[in-house]
Amino acid sequence: MPAERIPPGSDAPAAAAARRIGVQIDGVTKRFGAFTALHEAWLKIEQGTFMTLLGPSGCGKTTLLNLLAGFLEADGGEIFVDGQLMTETPPYAREIGVVFQNYALFPHMNVARNVGYGLAARGVPKREIAQRVDEMLALVKLADFGHRKPKELSGGQQQRVALARALVIRPKLLLLDEPFSALDKNLRGSMQVEIKEIQRRLGVTTIFVTHDQSEALSMSDRIAVMSAGRIRQVGTPDEIYRRPTDRFVAAFVGDVNVLPARLERRQGDQASVLVGGVRAQVPAETIEGLAPGAAVDLFVRPDALAIGEAGGGVPGTIAAHVYQGSHVDMVVDCPAAAGGRLLVRVPGTEAPGLWPVGRVVGIGPTAGGVAFPPEAA
Amino acid sequence: MKTRPFLALFVSPAALAALALVAALAAILQFAFRAFVPGSMEPGGLTLANFAALLRPLYADVFLQTVAICLMTALATLIVAYPLAYAIVRSRSIALKSFLLITALTPMFLGEVVRTYSWIIVLGNSGFINSILLAIGVVNRPVQLMFTTFGVVVALVHVTLPVMVIMLAAALSHVDLDYEKAATSLGAGPVRAFLTVTLPLSMPGIVAGVTTAFAWTFSAFATPQMIGGGRVPMVSTLIYQLGFSSFNFPFAAALSVTGLALTVAVLALAKAALAPLERLGAH
Amino acid sequence: MRRPLSHRLLGLAGRLAVALVVAFILLPAVVVTLSAFNDKAIMSFPPTGYSLRWFARAFSYKDFATGFRNGLIITAFASTLALLVGTGFAFALDRYSFRGKRTLEAILVSPLVIPHFTIGLGFLILAAQIQAARTFALVIATHVVLVLPFVMRSVYVSLRNLDARLEQAAASLGARPGRALVTVTLPLLLPGLVSGWLFAAILSFNEFTASLFVTAQATQTLPVAMYNYVREYADPTLAALSVVYIVVTATLLTIANRFLGLGKVLNVEHAR
């Protein structure tokens, strides 16, 4: 691809050393009547980053996206894009591209006019519009579709048009509002790869809103996990998955088991906890202030648990086997665990033979987890 | 502060139209309290005589008869319109749906004169119905249909049918067919499913349809004038007669004001009386 | 699976009921058509012979021609004005909250239930006070007020069915509100606007009761001319004219349904 498509100054190697802030959200609050949809959100996003806002519906992620786009007005706080104050700027002057959940393609215009709409609004000469639209359609692999109407396209093609339409204006920021939710599962995977590739090539700062944690983990440079109108944790996908700093994040991202444990001792930034007599290593930062012997909740992934003979670890009874090809998910009835059940992921396929349904076993952690103070009852 | 581009541009013409309507109604109200000066278009001084005259049995009877005709027409229209509205909403064939919809709507757009004239040819002594009845020997002299309350009501049902169908169909289209299926799957027969599910859920449409049909019937002029021929007096024909035969505009205005008050009262009463029924369908 | 006999009988009864209602609606149209082609001045069934003489008379009768011309002038102005006024107000209703919004809406839809003779009489008295009783302006103003509720409803329903995200998309792409209105909102509203105008035009052209009060000899519309004709003559000329009316109106509605989807405009079926 020719180099001139890359917006000047965004991701050239020389500039990489001193990355600038692309989006800065300073204490932004939004209320709808008595309901606070967004509670003092603070977030800094470096230029060129693919940032995901992840959370269940009603967590405030869509509200934040609408505030960024200018479709809503904040009740407090400021938003900066590329260092410019945006809070008072109307949507049409923000230079922000949006890909909507239903794509919102103009049904009465063909693909070329949809993509060229933003350029026409800026008074770009016709010939240049045609040229830039052609380039952008080629980039999203729809070179020969300019004359089609949106309803003559498949869901995946409509999404590419929506992406091309948002990118052709060379936005300072690209917003993606759950763009994959309308696609079937097979198409979803390939569109994710494609969008990520295009985003990296153009180096455009991107904010992606989703409730799908696997989508978030696979696509993002960084993730902000949100719940109940607050940003809970911001980090790389690995940090979010491996080192959640918040109970909600630990429970929301990935499968997790919660076991009652006791703090044994603290050593620097690590700590050890005991669960059913078995020791597990956890980061110390999430249980600061707790004394040795204090009760904690140990959050541990299904692949960080092992099944052993009864008598060791936490007692449980095998309830079901779920064959998954490369591994087997063992469902274990365990009165001590939160929810009364544990999920143990055992590599290979021998586990069901070794531990038949109904066998009384002992479960213990094999690798670390994360501990949090018990929830106030 | 939320911006509201073009607000003044959008609202001020509408406000002007509303102002004209309010001024027209105010003009009637003002005339209703003025004395009639025979032989002059200009009204005299302030008086309550116009309203006092309304209490005379002659005029009070016209009011009662008008209300009776309006009620009969509204209920008859409901019974006639319901099957058609149901068929329009539930029909699976698009061609049939379109045919029924256009059939139901066309009369509304024809206007009262064409429709009423057509009914004169149907109901007249040498008209369609009597010709058939005479030809097959059911009767040996024409049945009097013109100039009767029955004839007026039949033609009025035809006038109010389209608006009733629209309102019922709008309500029925919001009643999911799955509710009926669910009721049937729970062992209800089709009649029971209809009476316990569809009918209560379409109640808002029924209330809207009946009250609108009542108001439209009250408003009808050509039908009672042409089919009633003066022998089925209604408020509308009386007002026209007073205005354009006697030029007694103050009294016509008083009748109009009273008629309007009556319409509003009946609509409010119907709304209040039917509110419990309407709540049935609100879920 | 066969349904029980009682269910099938019920279905049959339902169909029969619909057929009877359709027959009731169509009966006057059929009868008036038969009588329009009758060759005698006195109605009789079945007609003894056929002729087109009543059509010829309907088209040559001077009052009808004048009424038709007046009707066209009044309808063109009234429905276009009502479209402009109603569209603007439907926009404001859908998008904005402002003081007096509900009051203004209630006043503007009230002609649906206020008797037309009341509105006609009111406008006549009002016009008489400003010496405008015999003008086209009076008739046009009356008609605008009468058809406005239909235009407002038609445009409002279309606006409700419009995806708000399309306008947001236009804004995010740099279109100012005026540009978004002209390039996105209005084109997508076009079916609603056209059907609103068409409803208004047909209703205005055929309006009778209020017109009887507000028209004078010079501004008399076709329905008023027809009413006056029935009072003087008993021949089937009016039947011939009625046939023309029925054919033109049904054709217009069929075209409207084909291109605009009356079901959606009237909200009796859900937009997909």
Side-chain angles (χ1 to χ4, degrees), chain A residues 71 91-92 96 98 100 102 104-109 117-118 120-122 165, chain C residues 163 165-166 168-177 179-180 183-184 187-188:
Chain A
F71 304 148
Y92 56 83
I96 291 176
V98 187
F100 293 84
N102 66 347
L105 297 177
F106 304 127
H108 57 303
M109 299 181 191
Y117 187 87
R122 283 167 176 72
R165 183 178 72 175
Chain C
D163 184 357
R165 278 175 291 196
L166 291 171
Q168 293 185 344
S172 77
L173 292 167
R176 288 164 176 279
R179 188 184 182 91
T183 57
V184 175
L188 292 172

Side-chain angles (χ1 to χ4, degrees), chain A residues 18-281:
Chain A
R19 282 200 143 184
R20 305 221 319 258
I21 297 301
V23 178
Q24 186 173 337
I25 297 164
D26 280 357
V28 171
T29 297
K30 178 67 190 176
R31 283 182 289 270
F32 295 105
F35 173 69
T36 303
L38 195 65
H39 188 96
E40 280 200 34
W42 298 81
L43 191 62
K44 275 187 188 174
I45 304 172
E46 287 179 351
Q47 277 185 349
T49 303
F50 193 108
M51 165 66 82
T52 297
L53 303 179
L54 172 66
S57 62
C59 71
K61 58 188 194 298
T62 304
T63 302
L64 183 51
L65 180 117
N66 283 326
L67 289 166
L68 282 161
F71 304 148
L72 291 176
E73 287 172 56
D75 295 312
E78 305 288 2
I79 292 170
F80 299 87
V81 175
D82 283 0
Q84 264 180 295
L85 180 65
M86 281 290 160
T87 321
E88 299 287 310
T89 311
Y92 56 83
R94 289 196 178 195
E95 308 284 326
I96 291 176
V98 187
V99 175
F100 293 84
Q101 189 168 6
N102 66 347
Y103 316 134
L105 297 177
F106 304 127
H108 57 303
M109 299 181 191
N110 65 21
V111 167
R113 282 199 56 213
N114 261 285
V115 176
Y117 187 87
L119 298 177
R122 283 167 176 72
V124 175
K126 272 201 173 128
R127 183 178 293 177
E128 192 188 335
I129 292 181
Q131 188 198 336
R132 282 169 68 178
V133 166
D134 284 348
E135 282 175 14
M136 197 46 76
L137 284 178
L139 182 70
V140 298
K141 300 178 188 158
L142 285 174
D144 298 324
F145 287 75
H147 57 281
R148 298 257 193 118
K149 283 284 179 73
K151 67 177 171 205
E152 297 164 359
L153 302 179
S154 71
Q157 290 168 334
Q158 288 184 26
Q159 181 169 64
R160 289 159 205 249
V161 175
L163 185 67
R165 183 178 72 175
L167 287 173
V168 78
I169 60 170
R170 294 173 185 155
K172 293 175 186 161
L173 171 64
L174 177 65
L175 301 176
L176 306 172
D177 183 11
E178 305 240 7
F180 303 112
S181 58
L183 298 180
D184 68 51
K185 214 175 171 187
N186 293 330
L187 197 55
R188 208 176 286 183
S190 63
M191 280 310 296
Q192 285 170 7
V193 173
E194 206 168 313
I195 285 189
K196 181 68 195 166
E197 255 178 38
I198 292 172
Q199 187 269 336
R200 190 173 302 145
R201 191 181 305 156
L202 299 182
V204 57
T205 313
T206 301
I207 295 180
F208 169 55
V209 163
T210 185
H211 63 274
D212 183 325
Q213 33 121 345
S214 72
E215 227 166 64
L217 292 173
S218 66
M219 293 187 73
S220 319
D221 296 326
R222 293 173 71 75
I223 298 174
V225 184
M226 297 180 68
S227 96
R230 290 166 198 271
I231 295 177
R232 298 289 169 171
Q233 185 178 356
V234 183
T236 63
D238 194 58
E239 283 165 359
I240 296 288
Y241 188 76
R242 295 283 160 205
R243 309 209 41 177
T245 55
D246 179 280
R247 278 186 80 98
F248 174 82
V249 176
F252 184 72
V253 182
D255 293 326
V256 78
N257 297 295
V258 183
L259 283 164
R262 288 208 173 271
L263 177 59
E264 190 186 34
R265 61 180 166 160
R266 206 191 288 276
Q267 228 170 11
D269 61 353
Q270 288 290 304
S272 61
V273 299
L274 286 173
V275 49
V278 183
R279 181 169 295 124
Q281 291 298 316

Side-chain angles (χ1 to χ4, degrees), chain C residues 60-146:
Chain C
S60 61
Y61 188 68
K62 196 173 145 289
D63 275 11
F64 289 167
T66 317
F68 180 74
R69 198 205 55 168
N70 289 347
L72 283 187
I73 295 170
I74 290 160
T75 294
F77 277 98
S79 55
T80 307
L81 280 172
L83 183 71
L84 293 174
V85 176
T87 303
F89 190 64
F91 254 96
L93 268 188
D94 185 47
R95 301 296 163 85
Y96 309 135
S97 59
F98 49 93
R99 244 161 25 120
K101 173 173 166 168
R102 292 295 149 211
T103 314
L104 199 52
E105 187 193 0
I107 294 173
L108 290 174
V109 300
S110 68
L112 282 180
V113 290
I114 297 182
H116 280 201
F117 55 79
T118 305
I119 294 175
L121 183 63
F123 272 88
L124 178 63
I125 293 176
L126 194 62
Q129 288 172 343
I130 55 169
Q131 264 75 50
R134 291 168 194 282
T135 59
F136 275 104
L138 166 62
V139 190
I140 291 169
T142 311
H143 280 208
V144 167
V145 168
L146 288 174

